[in-house]
């Protein structure tokens, strides 16, 4: 088979794989999350094994603790969403009042005569009974989907976690003569992802804590929940930090009486995301994964299209896996080079030549 035919077949193979990733998302998404979680705990399993702690103690302990924490977090989210939905009438009345004040303020400063009724009608249409019923139905379907997905994730996670101790032997056996090289690439991928996830989690916790603290300072309801939302959305590159500021700002507009307080709340929440996202995170993390900005943005759109919000959160680690796969395919090596940030030394060497 000539090189051109081989490349064409590879392209068709990747198209088929991406199609299956989309069609089988309900099965593969929990698997991807489980693999990522299991990889994060792999060094801990290795460390405890070296301390002569039996696997029949290590694996159940890690599995039970992590699954219990994740399930507890999910229940907190569900309960908070229920609490917010129970106060929807109060929130709607407050929002209508704020819109009326906003229209009066705009009329005063602009000299126009905007109709309050038209604003209220638009607001009521957006929050009509039909729309709320559809939203509640969507949430109910989402909760049912979560229950099934969590079961699948738990099953995958336990199986993968139990096999992490023998990963090296398995990879070397499957790869054959190139076993050492394949395992080295696997460890490179794992270490890159673990380093990224650890630092990203710490930075996200810091961001979520600051957001929750600001909400507490202004006595905004569900402050911890808004901090948790900021923590979660911070995993989404670029747009996540922006989206994280919207819910607490809206709640602040509903609850705060003073315009100055609203402006200060908005300024503080925006400043947190700008400073953390543009100063703290680049300073601490640098470019640990060697992915250029265009690759990160493409991954955000691509995996978001395939797997929704969860795909956006996993887009950076998934692009690392994809880059290493391209590196192992000789004819697709140029794609891996297109995805990464060039080494300054290599650029200088090429410039001299």
């Amino acid at each position: 088979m000539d090189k051109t035919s081989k490349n064409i077949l590879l392209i068709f193979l990747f198209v088929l794989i991406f199609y299956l990733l989309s069609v089988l998302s309900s099965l593969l998404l929990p698997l991807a999350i489980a693999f990522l979680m299991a990889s994060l705990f792999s060094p801990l399993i290795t460390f405890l094994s070296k301390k002569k702690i039996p696997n029949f103690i290590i694996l159940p302990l890690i599995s039970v603790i992590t699954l219990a924490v994740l399930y507890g977090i999910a229940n907190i989210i569900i309960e908070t969403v229920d609490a917010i939905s129970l106060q929807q009438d109060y929130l709607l009345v407050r929002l209508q009042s704020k819109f009326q004040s906003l229209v009066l303020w705009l009329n005063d400063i602009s000299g126009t005569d905007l109709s309050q009724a038209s604003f209220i009608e638009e607001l009521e249409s957006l929050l009509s009974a039909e729309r709320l019923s559809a939203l509640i139905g969507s949430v109910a379907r989402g909760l049912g989907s979560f229950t099934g997905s969590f079961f699948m994730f738990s099953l995958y996670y336990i199986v993968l976690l139990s096999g992490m101790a023998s990963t090296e032997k398995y990879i070397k056996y499957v790869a054959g003569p190139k076993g050492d090289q394949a395992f080295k690439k696997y460890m490179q991928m794992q270490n890159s992802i673990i380093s990224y996830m650890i630092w990203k989690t710490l930075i996200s916790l810091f961001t979520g804590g600051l957001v929750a603290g600001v909400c507490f300072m202004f006595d905004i309801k569900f402050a911890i929940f808004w901090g948790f939302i900021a923590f979660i959305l911070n995993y989404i590159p670029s747009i996540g930090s922006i989206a994280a500021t919207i819910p607490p700002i809206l709640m602040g507009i509903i609850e705060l009486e003073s315009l100055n307080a609203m402006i200060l709340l908005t300024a503080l929440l925006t400043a947190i995301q700008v400073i953390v996202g543009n100063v703290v995170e680049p300073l601490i993390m640098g470019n640990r994964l060697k992915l250029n900005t265009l690759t990160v943005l493409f991954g955000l759109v691509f995996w978001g299209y395939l797997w929704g919000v969860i795909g956006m959160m996993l887009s950076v680690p998934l692009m690392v896996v994809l880059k290493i796969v391209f590196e192992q395919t000789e004819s697709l090596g140029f794609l891996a080079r297109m995805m990464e940030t060039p080494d300054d030394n290599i650029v200088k060497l090429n410039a001299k030549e």
Side-chain angles (χ1 to χ4, degrees):
M1 182 182 296
D2 61 12
K3 190 173 181 179
T4 303
S5 300
K6 185 178 179 180
N7 289 339
I8 292 173
L9 289 176
L10 279 173
I11 292 172
F12 277 114
L13 176 62
F14 276 108
V15 170
L16 176 62
I17 290 173
F18 291 137
Y19 172 74
L20 292 176
L21 286 174
S22 177
V23 173
L24 302 177
S25 60
S26 59
L27 296 175
L28 297 178
L29 185 52
L31 177 60
I33 300 173
F35 175 77
L36 181 60
M37 289 287 295
S39 297
L40 288 175
F41 284 100
S42 178
L44 178 60
I45 294 174
T46 303
F47 173 77
L48 294 176
S49 297
K50 290 180 179 179
K51 297 296 181 180
K52 307 300 181 182
I53 300 177
N55 283 336
F56 69 85
I57 295 177
I58 297 173
L59 297 177
L61 184 65
I62 294 177
S63 300
V64 170
I65 291 175
T66 52
L67 291 176
V69 169
L70 290 174
Y71 195 78
I73 290 172
N75 279 332
I76 292 173
I77 295 173
I78 293 170
E79 290 175 3
T80 306
V81 171
D82 288 341
I84 294 174
S85 65
L86 290 174
Q87 299 187 35
Q88 68 180 39
D89 292 336
Y90 162 77
L91 297 176
L92 179 59
V93 170
R94 292 282 297 175
L95 197 57
Q96 287 178 343
S97 174
K98 295 292 181 170
F99 265 98
Q100 290 175 348
S101 300
L102 175 64
V103 172
L104 291 174
W105 179 71
L106 289 174
N107 287 339
D108 287 339
I109 65 171
S110 63
T112 57
D113 187 21
L114 298 175
S115 172
Q116 296 182 30
S118 61
F119 274 86
I120 299 302
E121 287 175 5
E122 288 294 329
L123 183 61
E124 289 179 344
S125 67
L126 289 174
L127 300 173
S128 63
E130 293 79 7
R131 287 180 180 270
L132 291 175
S133 298
L135 179 61
I136 292 171
S138 176
V139 171
R141 289 192 298 272
L143 294 178
S145 175
F146 163 77
T147 304
S149 297
F150 188 80
F151 174 77
M152 293 297 297
F153 162 77
S154 302
L155 183 63
Y156 290 144
Y157 177 66
I158 293 171
V159 171
L160 289 171
L161 204 61
S162 63
M164 280 294 163
S166 57
T167 300
E168 181 176 358
K169 293 180 181 179
Y170 179 75
I171 291 176
K172 289 183 177 180
Y173 173 75
V174 172
K178 297 183 178 180
D180 291 334
Q181 182 182 357
F183 181 70
K184 183 179 178 181
K185 282 292 182 182
Y186 170 79
M187 290 304 298
Q188 175 189 343
M189 175 189 71
Q190 186 186 61
N191 292 335
S192 297
I193 292 175
I194 289 174
S195 175
Y196 169 81
M197 291 302 297
I198 288 174
W199 284 109
K200 190 70 173 177
T201 299
L202 292 174
I203 293 170
S204 297
L205 280 171
F206 177 67
T207 305
L210 289 177
V211 170
V214 169
C215 291
F216 271 121
M217 186 171 65
F218 285 87
D219 200 23
I220 303 297
K221 289 185 177 180
F222 314 112
I224 295 178
F225 179 69
W226 303 132
F228 179 76
I229 292 296
F231 165 74
I232 291 295
L233 291 181
N234 200 57
Y235 282 97
I236 301 177
S238 303
I239 64 173
S241 58
I242 299 173
T245 61
I246 296 175
I249 288 174
L250 287 177
M251 185 60 72
I253 291 173
I254 291 173
E255 291 200 68
L256 298 175
E257 298 294 340
S258 168
L259 178 62
N260 291 334
M262 295 180 200
I263 294 174
L264 183 58
L265 172 68
T266 302
L268 287 174
L269 292 176
T270 304
I272 288 171
Q273 298 296 351
V274 170
I275 294 172
V276 172
N278 295 287
V279 179
V280 177
E281 189 167 326
L283 185 65
I284 294 176
M285 296 185 64
N287 189 16
R288 293 177 178 271
L289 301 180
K290 298 187 181 298
L291 294 177
N292 58 47
T293 305
L294 184 60
T295 299
V296 173
L297 293 176
F298 173 79
L300 178 68
V301 174
F302 179 76
W303 293 107
Y305 175 77
L306 287 182
W307 288 349
V309 175
I310 303 298
M312 291 181 180
M313 295 172 63
L314 299 178
S315 62
V316 173
L318 288 172
M319 292 306 287
V320 172
V321 174
L322 196 60
K323 182 171 82 73
I324 291 177
V325 170
F326 288 154
E327 287 175 347
Q328 300 307 302
T329 307
E330 184 178 352
S331 57
L332 298 176
F334 73 97
L335 291 177
R337 293 190 292 274
M338 289 175 61
M339 295 171 67
E340 65 186 13
T341 302
D343 189 345
D344 291 339
N345 294 329
I346 295 176
V347 173
K348 291 177 182 177
L349 180 62
N350 291 336
K352 291 180 180 179
E353 293 177 353

